[in-house]
Each structure stands twice: as structure tokens, then as C-alpha cells.
Amino acid sequence: MKVVSIRDWLAAPDRVVAWQGQQQHWLSEMRQQVLALMEKLQSQPGQHWALCFDNSYHFTAALLALWHAGKTPVIPGHCRAAQLEEMAEQLDGVISDMPLAVSLPQLRWDGALALGELPAIAEDAELVLFTSGSTGTPRRVVKSLRALDLEAQWLAALWADRLQQCHVIASVSHQHLYGLTFRIVLPMALSLPLAAQQIFYGEQLADQRRDRRYAFISSPAFLRRLDSALDAPSCALIVSAGGALPWADAQHAQRAFECAVDEIYGSTETGVIGWRCAQEENAPWHCFPQVKLVQQEAGWRVFSALLETPEGWPLDDRIVQQPSGVFQLAGRQDRVVKIEDKRVSLSEIERRLLALPGVEDAAALAIQRHGRQSIGVVLALPDTLDAATLTQRKKQWKIALQPWLEPVAMPRYWRVVNAIPVTAQSKRAWPQIEELFDVAG
């Protein structure tokens, strides 16, 4: 399949580029809308404009309008007015298709059309994303168009045959790099139609037309919640990223779609690093071309053609690499806290908790109370327990953990839930997890 550069998207022959329900959007329509919005942007001061869109077609047109106007798109990772205000020093304005009560200059999407010639996108064009990371503090990440184009080329080389004639649907947001790359850049680069609306529920997935082949861009959280009673559409490709997909959930998804799940390993900072097809338990990961993993004293570092620096990027994950070059992920290496001056690995505690009978998922964190720091844990169980049963189960868990954990690492605070809170990208939602401990117990 021919891969079209972002700079040449709007110069391609006319075709359907997106749909929403029965409505189809054509490339010629997008080109005129991009030109109209670009002209508005050229009359506005300031370089950095945030994109806050519900509709992926509108988002794509605004993204292109900013680049053609010579401005820098900023993807803040959310569409919340209060947080946009906090970022005001890093923004010159906001473009949106939804009402936002912000003091920043704001352009609302109106779908206006214009005729004329579009100026070329600059060779050094880029965009800015913000990722919260493990600390919750937003981290600014700059991506070049060169890297976005190259990433699309890698993905096309991997899946070109399977993506032929596909319509691209997604349960993940375009407001993060995973969604941006896989549900916007990749389908546009391969001239595939993309769904303008995100899928939030299994019923929306089941409602997709049956006369199409689909590529489904999803997350572990969505695949974990798949309802066996719903009839899934025919998918030539299912992609999952943002977190580990448990083997049982991968099997369940394969049965539902009659298609194995392909998983992606990467980050906002690095782009894609590796991939694997979940056709067997503990399937190994393969690095993409022009990606190299190197073990150093401080941990693992990735060197990639997608990075803007030859110095590579440090990884937060522990990796076990095999002589053939494939690798396995062995947990996070940065989750170490000090409890009573002793180093305690939260990842190790979670690993031991997951070995307990009936525990489906586990999260461990440090809890500060009365000037003392202790370990709190959240366990996801399949069934709700009454108070007496929960008390008895805690005693059993503590006894089971004693051979493995030092006294300072033994959980002091316990919370039991049906599912551990996650973000739309299947990352641990640490603010919500911490809120579980706001009530003493």
C-alpha cells in the first residue's frame, strides 16, 4: 500500500476520508474546510494552539489547518477548561468543536468552506503533546512530522495486507499519541476511511455495518469489558496498547472478533518500540526496524529513528532480552519507595498480590497518614465480599504474603474493588486510586 506523507494528504485524489453514522466526509470537503480555518488562524497572533475536539474528522481538519498556517498544534491530552487555564502560559489559543469556558482566545469549529491554494507545510513542522507520566505532572513532548510519517511507514509495512480496504474504528481518544497515530495518521497515510466518533460501548461496536472490513484501534480496558452476548463486527486487525492485555482477555477478544489481537509497546516520548501478536501466552515482543534496546547501568534505553535525539530515551520498564533479539517486559523499574528508610518495590508487592488466589488485578502505593508512610493496596476481585468475609480474607492474604515481603512492605491499608480505575488509555488512574484511601480504614 502506498503511504502518503502528511504534507501531501490534501493533494491526493478525492475520496471518502471519514464517516459519522450515514454522513460521509470527502477529501475535497476537508480541503476547503482546512483552507477556511487556516485563513482565520493566519489572522490570529500566537504560535501554539490547543486542539480540543470530540469529532475526529474535525480534529484532523484543524490539525492540518494549523500546520498549513505555519502554527504549532498542541494536544493537551484532555478537553477540560480548568486544566487548559493552568496551561495558559504555554498556549496562545484553543480550537474546539465543543463549548469551553476559557479565557484564552478560542476558535470554534463551524465547518466553513473556502476556495484557493494551500501553502505548503514547513519542513520543520511539529506538534506538542502533554503526557502526565507516573507523577501526574504534565510533561511536554515535541513530535516532528518526520517522525509521524516514519511511524506510519513502519506500521504500514507490518500490516499493509491486513489493512487493505479497511474502515478504521477506535475506542481510544485522538487526544493522545496512540489514538493520534493509529486512528488519524495511519488511516490518512494509507487512504483509509476513519470513524469520526469514538466507540465507548460494546453496543456501538455491535452496531457497525456488516458489509465492511474493520481495523479496530482499542485498549486493554475496552477489550477486557467485551460482552460475549454482543455480535462483534468483522475485523482484519485489532490493535491494543497503553497497558498489558491479560492472556485471558486476548483469548476472549480473539473468539469475539475471530482475529488475534496485535499489541503495541511504546510511549508518548518514544513512539512505537515493539509489537507482538497475542496468539499465545507470554508471546515475545519484536522491535520495530530502526529501534534498538540497550541495557545500561541505570536501566534500559531505547534508540530509535523516531526520536529527535541520537542519545536515546530511558525506559521505565524492566526488559528481558533474548539472544534472537525478541524481548519480554518484566514490570516497571521506577516504582520504588522508601518506608522507614528501607527501599520497597511497589512492583514486587503487586506481583505477590497477583499470585494470591482470586485476585484479578492489584495496585500498590505509598500512603501518608499521621506523619507515617505505609503501603496501601487495591485488589480487584471478581465477586463482592461482605465485611466478615473480607476481614477473614485479609488475614489469609497477610499470612500468604509474609514469606515474601519484609514487615515494612506488608500492606497496612486494603481496598477491594471490582476493577482498578484506569484512564481512557488504560493507564492506572492514580488520582482516583488515591481517592480510595481518603476514608480511613
Side-chain angles (χ1 to χ4, degrees):
M1 295 178 74
K2 180 183 177 182
V3 181
V4 179
S5 168
I6 292 170
R7 290 184 177 83
D8 302 324
W9 273 356
L10 295 176
D14 203 16
R15 59 182 175 83
V16 174
V17 293
W19 82 95
Q20 182 175 358
Q22 300 300 314
Q23 183 182 14
Q24 292 185 325
H25 297 286
W26 289 76
L27 186 63
S28 54
E29 172 194 2
M30 176 182 277
R31 189 182 297 117
Q32 294 177 53
Q33 290 171 331
V34 168
L35 182 60
L37 183 54
M38 182 207 72
E39 291 174 347
K40 290 180 183 178
L41 284 163
Q42 286 179 327
S43 67
Q44 296 284 332
Q47 181 69 19
H48 293 85
W49 285 73
L51 293 166
C52 296
F53 283 84
D54 174 61
N55 183 294
S56 291
Y57 170 78
H58 299 166
F59 171 90
T60 305
L63 180 68
L64 292 170
L66 281 164
W67 277 325
H68 281 285
K71 297 185 183 289
T72 303
V74 178
I75 304 177
H78 60 82
C79 295
R80 293 183 290 276
Q83 288 183 279
L84 289 169
E85 292 287 358
E86 287 183 350
M87 299 171 64
E89 291 184 0
Q90 303 182 73
L91 300 174
D92 297 303
V94 180
I95 313 176
S96 177
D97 62 355
M98 62 187 77
L100 287 173
V102 293
S103 59
L104 289 157
Q106 186 176 174
L107 287 178
R108 286 289 297 276
W109 171 266
D110 59 8
L113 305 174
L115 296 174
E117 294 296 320
L118 280 166
I121 297 176
E123 287 295 320
D124 61 351
E126 59 190 21
L127 61 80
V128 175
L129 302 106
F130 283 88
T131 177
S132 61
S134 58
T135 63
T137 303
R139 178 188 292 163
R140 186 176 186 269
V141 180
V142 178
K143 291 284 174 183
S144 67
L145 260 67
R146 175 203 66 83
L148 293 173
D149 276 343
L150 181 59
E151 197 167 32
Q153 291 171 19
W154 291 1
L155 298 171
L158 180 62
W159 294 321
D161 292 341
R162 294 165 66 184
L163 284 169
Q164 294 275 1
Q165 306 300 316
C166 275
H167 286 63
V168 180
I169 56 179
S171 68
V172 296
S173 170
H174 54 236
Q175 297 283 153
H176 298 267
L177 184 64
Y178 172 43
L180 171 68
T181 298
F182 285 78
R183 70 176 285 193
I184 306 292
V185 177
L186 182 60
M188 292 290 285
L190 296 179
S191 302
L192 302 175
L194 60 93
Q197 284 301 120
Q198 181 178 341
I199 290 172
F200 294 96
Y201 309 106
E203 290 80 4
Q204 294 172 295
L205 189 62
D207 282 343
Q208 300 298 313
R209 282 175 47 173
R210 298 294 150 164
D211 58 344
R212 293 172 173 170
R213 277 163 51 94
Y214 293 100
F216 181 34
I217 311 305
S218 191
S219 66
F222 189 94
L223 296 177
R224 191 178 297 130
R225 297 192 304 267
L226 276 178
D227 186 346
S228 302
L230 294 175
D231 188 15
S234 174
C235 289
L237 176 69
I238 306 166
V239 185
S240 177
L245 179 66
W247 171 236
D249 296 322
Q251 290 176 299
H252 176 51
Q254 181 167 352
R255 288 192 296 268
F257 293 100
E258 297 183 351
C259 175
V261 179
D262 280 67
E263 293 183 83
I264 290 292
Y265 171 56
S267 69
T268 303
E269 293 84 359
T270 64
V272 297
I273 294 173
W275 67 275
R276 70 176 181 180
C277 185
Q279 290 183 311
E280 60 180 2
E281 190 170 9
N282 297 318
W285 293 90
H286 303 259
C287 279
F288 279 92
Q290 302 179 62
V291 172
K292 185 178 181 181
L293 299 175
V294 177
Q295 188 171 18
Q296 301 178 338
E297 285 186 14
W300 286 85
R301 183 173 285 265
V302 60
F303 295 86
S304 170
L306 299 179
L307 293 170
E308 306 303 327
T309 170
E311 298 175 357
W313 188 265
L315 296 178
D316 292 332
D317 297 295
R318 290 184 291 118
I319 287 171
V320 178
Q321 197 167 45
Q322 299 174 12
S324 61
V326 299
F327 64 96
Q328 294 284 0
L329 298 175
R332 306 278 284 185
Q333 65 179 9
D334 60 341
R335 301 194 61 237
V336 175
V337 296
K338 282 277 188 82
I339 305 290
E340 297 181 13
D341 296 325
K342 290 193 175 182
R343 290 168 60 86
V344 174
S345 169
L346 298 176
S347 298
E348 172 68 7
I349 294 172
E350 290 173 353
R351 189 165 73 88
R352 298 303 178 185
L353 291 168
L354 287 170
L356 298 174
V359 174
E360 294 184 338
D361 200 1
L365 64 164
I367 301 294
Q368 186 84 21
R369 279 195 187 160
H370 311 300
R372 179 183 176 187
Q373 190 160 255
S374 303
I375 298 297
V377 297
V378 182
L379 303 184
L381 304 182
D383 303 312
T384 303
L385 305 179
D386 59 45
T389 304
L390 180 57
T391 299
Q392 181 62 30
R393 197 69 64 86
K394 284 182 185 177
K395 292 179 181 178
Q396 295 169 351
W397 291 332
K398 289 177 181 178
I399 292 171
L401 292 172
Q402 281 174 354
W404 307 107
L405 302 180
E406 288 189 75
V408 294
M410 187 65 66
R412 180 180 178 87
Y413 305 107
W414 301 75
R415 297 292 183 269
V416 173
V417 295
N418 295 120
I420 292 176
V422 295
T423 67
Q425 284 63 49
S426 291
K427 303 290 187 182
R428 289 282 167 84
W430 289 111
Q432 289 94 314
I433 292 172
E434 290 170 0
E435 286 174 4
L436 297 172
F437 296 88
D438 286 349
V439 178

